[in-house]
Amino acid sequence: GLDACQDLSFAATFGTMAYILGVGTHDAAECRQKVIDMGRALRPAATDADVAGAQEAFGWYVEYIRDLIAFKRNHPGESLLDSFIAAQGAGEMSEEEIMATVTLFYAVGHLDNSFLIQNGIKLLAEMPEERELFCSKPEARNDMISEMLRIDTPEQFVTRFVTEDIDISGETLPAGSIVLGMIGSANRDDRVFPDPDIFDHTRPELTRLQMAFGAGQHGCHGQLLARAQAECAIGSLVERFPEYRISGPVTHHHTEFIRNISTLPIEFR
């Protein structure tokens, strides 16, 4: 067996981002912890200690990314980061834009995706019939992943700043106010998803209606990669070990903002 968090989901997603950017996987565990530390400051109940921890983590992250870029300049290749550096040389990106883009990719390219994989493995372990379906019918996997995202959404809300008065269902949101868009709640809205606590991948237009990756111009561009990682990781597991089971306590470190499974031991059978 193994720990599906450390040995599978995190290793796979972090390794994928490192491969895409053309850099190594050194300090992976510290990178993950720094992202978690930054995320704590994004929750409504963040304390002064959370904010201070996030500032320290972000400072560490900026220097880490700066070192990655310096390494890539000295070891050119054909990665995404090489493309950014080439774009800077052509006057199409600034150094600050490269820093910001790589920081964003590196920070969010593994945490949410890891939870999607972990939670999918956990859900299928608890639902043998769904697990068998995921194994035997690859054509159903996309909708099943959408339902995994709907039923336990990795990021629970987004924050928006209101630039002008806007009316929503008879309530006015005044300009200058800050709004939390509750994605997790929207994905459990029984007006859109009847029996929302039930796992049902056959819901009509499920992939379009679930809000885990946002929608429209605010849709996450990384969702195709996240889906591919989930299908590959979960699919490989259920195909090779169709009767795996959870073999010990599952621990969580959720916040109001982000879902996080810390340990998920599984046993192969």
Side-chain angles (χ1 to χ4, degrees):
L2 50 77
D3 183 337
C5 295
Q6 301 301 323
D7 302 326
L8 178 56
S9 64
F10 175 58
T13 55
F14 193 92
T16 298
M17 288 310 302
Y19 175 78
I20 290 172
L21 292 169
V23 297
T25 56
H26 57 293
D27 298 328
E30 190 169 8
C31 281
R32 181 175 187 269
Q33 186 58 51
K34 296 300 183 184
V35 176
I36 293 172
D37 291 344
M38 287 188 282
R40 289 197 179 103
L42 298 176
R43 60 197 186 100
T47 64
D48 290 344
D50 291 331
V51 174
Q55 291 174 334
E56 186 279 328
F58 191 76
W60 181 93
Y61 227 89
V62 168
E63 291 307 311
Y64 184 75
I65 298 300
R66 201 184 305 278
D67 288 344
L68 293 182
I69 295 172
F71 169 84
K72 181 50 64 177
R73 292 189 190 281
N74 294 322
H75 301 82
E78 298 180 352
S79 71
L80 182 61
L81 183 48
D82 288 288
S83 297
F84 293 160
I85 293 172
Q88 182 183 17
E92 298 170 352
M93 288 185 78
S94 67
E95 181 75 10
E96 291 76 15
E97 287 172 329
I98 294 177
M99 283 289 301
T101 304
V102 175
T103 299
L104 178 64
F105 280 14
Y106 222 62
V108 305
H110 63 83
L111 198 62
D112 292 1
N113 301 2
S114 292
F115 178 75
L116 169 57
I117 294 170
Q118 297 156 9
N119 193 47
I121 290 171
K122 176 177 176 291
L123 287 171
L124 294 183
E126 297 166 346
M127 301 181 297
E129 292 183 2
E130 299 291 342
R131 180 176 56 194
E132 194 281 327
L133 183 65
F134 197 96
C135 181
S136 62
K137 291 191 175 181
E139 65 273 17
R141 291 179 183 177
N142 183 67
D143 288 337
M144 296 184 77
I145 289 170
S146 293
E147 184 68 348
M148 293 170 187
L149 288 163
R150 183 200 69 79
I151 206 162
D152 203 349
T153 307
E155 290 190 14
Q156 289 287 297
F157 64 80
V158 292
T159 306
R160 294 289 182 262
F161 181 78
V162 183
T163 58
E164 60 184 35
D165 290 355
I166 184 172
D167 181 85
I168 297 180
S169 301
E171 296 290 336
T172 299
L173 302 181
S177 59
I178 296 175
V179 176
L180 297 184
M182 307 304 293
I183 302 175
S185 179
N187 278 340
R188 295 280 185 128
D189 185 348
D190 58 10
R191 296 169 298 179
V192 180
F193 306 106
D195 298 319
D197 297 336
I198 302 298
F199 188 97
D200 179 8
H201 74 279
T202 66
R203 299 176 186 275
E205 297 191 89
L206 173 60
T207 296
R208 182 180 70 84
L209 292 174
Q210 64 83 24
M211 299 292 294
F213 291 118
Q217 66 179 351
H218 293 290
C220 174
H221 288 295
Q223 63 180 288
L224 296 179
L225 175 60
R227 287 181 176 277
Q229 288 177 323
E231 182 169 345
C232 181
I234 302 172
S236 297
L237 176 66
V238 299
E239 287 170 4
R240 187 168 181 181
F241 303 104
E243 296 185 2
Y244 77 89
R245 66 182 183 92
I246 297 174
S247 58
V250 179
T251 61
H252 305 79
H253 281 87
H254 299 323
T255 71
E256 304 99 304
F257 172 58
I258 197 158
R259 309 288 282 170
N260 181 28
I261 299 177
S262 302
T263 58
L264 177 58
I266 59 174
E267 179 180 87
F268 302 144
R269 301 175 68 188

